Amino acid sequence: MSEQKIEQAKRMVKGLRGQSKAQVFKVWIQVCLGRVHNAKVGEQRKDWMIYDIIKAQFDKEIADQVA
């Protein structure tokens, strides 16, 4: 696992955590919509969405470390 990817993922997590839940939900839909149908912002936890976004952009191992 590359140190550069981990740092990039950490920056992404920090940026996502600074956004509102609605903004994170919008990113989550764009990145992860292929496996989600009829999702509503009120039904999703922000931390879970951030983890899912990082996992989709990088991989599970990096998401487990930084998200």
Side-chain angles (χ1 to χ4, degrees), residues 5-6 8-9 12 14-15 17 19 23 28 31 34-35 38 40 43 46 49-50 52 55-56 61 66-67:
K5 281 193 173 211
I6 291 172
Q8 187 179 6
M12 184 179 250
K14 185 176 181 180
R17 286 198 175 132
Q19 295 180 20
Q23 291 169 316
W28 180 69
V31 173
R35 354 179 246 104
N38 301 321
K40 295 184 177 129
E43 297 171 349
K46 184 177 174 183
M49 290 187 288
I50 290 171
D52 216 26
K55 185 177 161 190
E61 194 173 318
V66 302

Side-chain angles (χ1 to χ4, degrees), residues 25-33:
F25 184 72
K26 189 174 184 177
V27 173
W28 180 69
I29 286 175
Q30 292 170 347
V31 173
C32 307
L33 187 61

